[in-house]
Amino acid sequence: MRSKPEQDSLKLKLGMIYRLLLERFGHRNWWPAESPFEVCVGAILTQNTSWKNVEKAITNLKAANCLDAVSLDDISADDLATLIRPAGYFNIKAKRLKNFITRLVSHHGGSLDSMFASSLQELRIELLSINGIGKETADSMILYAANKPIFVVDAYTRRVLERHGIAGPEVDYDGIQAIFHGNLKEDVAMFNDYHAQFVAVGSSYCGRKARCSGCPVEGM
Ligand code: SF4
């Protein structure tokens, strides 16, 4: 439990980190997708792979006219795995995509608007009930496709927070998320961009080995 002055200083620090990242990297305009449906597919495909590989898989799905609920419901898991092969773990990801689509079709007639009509917490519970959808994937869909205010925690977020003494390695996903929810205004646009800023600083400076010299949050 943090004291009031510690809490105030944490709020300032989180706000300052965001401003410094934004100044350096500019608004990131995430998620890179043409539709909420594409966000959901991308959120599943991006597990354990780079975004470049996800883009190749999505290009294949578009070329095969398969980037919609009806087509992904119709296609066999084997054919889907072939299309998304560039994303890696393609057999597992094909099953996960099918699980998501089956839920979407069976409970919402294939409509994301219907799925997203529930409250944030109800939607999160529903997404997490789908086999193969974990917290980061569910929260990415909730924030970037459903436009509801939830902070997405990824490996970069965790790394930056640990290296700046904000969260120890023992703090779990929900604990890290609570740090943002408890200290920032609930703001979809800011949550959206803050997460993307962590991706930017993580891929440019804060990799497995920190390259702090010249990093926008050096000394914070
Ligand atoms: S590279 Fe260094 S300064 Fe930059 S976020 Fe990581 S730990 Fe912080």
Side-chain angles (χ1 to χ4, degrees):
M1 186 80 179
R2 290 182 168 92
S3 65
K4 173 86 172 55
E6 283 171 340
Q7 196 73 29
D8 289 346
S9 137
L10 177 58
K11 273 189 213 293
L12 285 174
K13 193 166 179 173
L14 290 174
M16 182 63 78
I17 288 174
Y18 176 61
R19 278 192 296 281
L20 289 168
L21 293 173
L22 179 60
E23 267 171 30
R24 172 67 65 85
F25 297 115
H27 198 281
R28 307 303 297 159
N29 297 315
W30 264 44
W31 184 286
E34 289 176 354
S35 67
F37 189 80
E38 190 177 321
V39 171
C40 294
V41 171
I44 293 171
L45 293 179
T46 200
Q47 297 165 347
N48 302 308
T49 195
S50 71
W51 186 252
K52 224 167 65 184
N53 294 332
V54 175
E55 283 178 330
K56 289 179 194 159
I58 286 184
T59 300
N60 288 350
L61 289 171
K62 284 182 180 171
N65 285 322
C66 266
L67 200 52
D68 62 85
V70 173
S71 305
L72 286 179
D73 193 33
D74 284 346
I75 194 172
S76 72
D78 286 347
D79 288 346
L80 179 56
T82 304
L83 288 173
I84 64 167
R85 193 179 189 95
Y89 304 99
F90 45 91
N91 286 320
I92 295 172
K93 288 181 182 177
K95 281 200 189 95
R96 289 176 179 172
L97 265 177
K98 291 294 261 179
N99 293 343
F100 173 69
I101 295 299
T102 298
R103 175 78 194 191
L104 185 62
V105 169
S106 62
H107 286 69
H108 302 284
S111 163
L112 277 183
D113 285 344
S114 161
M115 179 180 255
F116 293 167
S118 48
S119 72
L120 189 157
Q121 283 313 328
E122 285 167 344
L123 174 58
R124 193 171 198 250
I125 289 167
E126 178 173 13
L127 290 171
L128 290 175
S129 76
I130 301 170
N131 197 357
I133 296 198
K135 290 178 180 177
E136 186 183 337
T137 306
D139 292 347
S140 297
M141 291 181 184
I142 294 168
L143 179 63
Y144 290 103
N147 284 314
K148 295 180 194 279
I150 195 158
F151 205 94
V152 178
V153 176
D154 67 353
Y156 290 134
T157 312
R158 172 177 290 286
R159 192 177 282 155
V160 173
L161 260 53
E162 278 185 25
R163 288 177 175 167
H164 287 267
I166 296 172
E170 76 288 355
V171 183
D172 64 9
Y173 185 101
D174 293 336
I176 291 188
Q177 191 173 62
I179 290 174
F180 290 97
H181 286 185
N183 292 289
L184 297 174
K185 207 169 63 158
E186 262 195 7
D187 178 341
V188 171
M190 203 262 273
F191 283 4
N192 171 323
D193 194 51
Y194 205 149
H195 169 72
Q197 298 293 344
F198 278 131
V199 176
V201 74
S203 48
S204 310
Y205 294 95
C206 207
R208 284 185 206 285
K209 189 164 183 293
R211 296 189 302 276
C212 300
S213 175
C215 175
V217 294
E218 185 182 9
M220 280 294 301

